[in-house]
Amino acid sequence: LGMLFLLSIMAVAVEPVPLPDIQLTAADGSTVKSNALPSQGNWLIIYIQPRNQFSDNLLRLLKRDQYPTLAQHTVIIVGGSIDDLKTAQTRFPELAQATWYADTNKSAFGLMKLTGAPMILGIKQRTITWSLSGILSDVNVAKSILNTWVEG
């Protein structure tokens, strides 16, 4: 398993920037705008690509026993169709308590100025405070960063 995570994670302390006005699609096909996303406390956006080994590996790592409060503080955006979203939800039951959306036209990817997937964004009061891109090469460091953020 350790061999799957050869690429290192890049932590980027970005200049805090407001979460842009994005439009996402829920599993039922309804449209959700960014103003419906959490506005209080620290939370995460995890942007993944369907059928992508690196995105799958990241989600597999986020087990409830290692990240007890992560799911309920996370919005997972699947860059793909509603079917891609439903498939991902089914494949990662440990993250059932997360909020899941699809970026069906990839507009959120562009508006949030993402550089690839998977990507984790730390959000506080509708502001993107930091981002992680790539693979979690040091699982313990990643666990500390993510758990500290969502509990903070």
Side-chain angles (χ1 to χ4, degrees):
L1 186 65
M3 295 305 288
L4 295 176
F5 306 109
L6 291 176
L7 296 176
S8 63
I9 194 161
M10 278 182 38
V12 179
V14 296
E15 186 72 29
V17 69
L19 187 64
D21 290 328
I22 57 175
Q23 200 165 292
L24 303 167
T25 306
D28 65 4
S30 63
T31 300
V32 176
K33 295 187 178 189
S34 54
N35 62 5
L37 298 177
S39 60
Q40 300 298 314
N42 295 349
W43 56 282
L44 301 169
I45 289 177
I46 300 177
Y47 194 103
I48 62 163
Q49 295 293 346
R51 298 171 301 282
N52 175 282
Q53 165 187 338
F54 301 116
S55 293
D56 290 354
N57 289 343
L58 171 64
L59 295 184
R60 260 189 225 104
L61 283 175
L62 303 177
K63 302 283 188 209
R64 201 173 298 130
D65 61 334
Q66 300 289 312
Y67 300 88
T69 62
L70 184 122
Q72 54 267 46
H73 292 94
T74 299
V75 172
I76 299 172
I77 302 174
V78 179
S81 69
I82 294 171
D83 284 341
D84 292 330
L85 162 66
K86 290 178 179 179
T87 298
Q89 283 180 301
T90 302
R91 291 183 61 220
F92 301 101
E94 290 267 342
L95 297 169
Q97 290 185 340
T99 303
W100 292 75
Y101 296 114
D103 182 16
T104 56
N105 61 7
K106 310 285 194 312
S107 63
F109 184 89
L111 289 169
M112 291 189 296
K113 296 179 172 53
L114 303 181
T115 57
M119 195 100 184
I120 303 174
L121 305 175
I123 312 293
K124 182 175 188 158
Q125 297 173 340
R126 296 197 194 283
T127 300
I128 300 171
T129 305
W130 56 266
S131 67
L132 298 174
S133 68
I135 306 306
L136 304 178
S137 61
D138 187 329
V139 176
N140 291 325
V141 169
K143 183 167 53 171
S144 175
I145 291 169
L146 299 179
N147 283 332
T148 300
W149 181 254
V150 297
E151 291 166 7

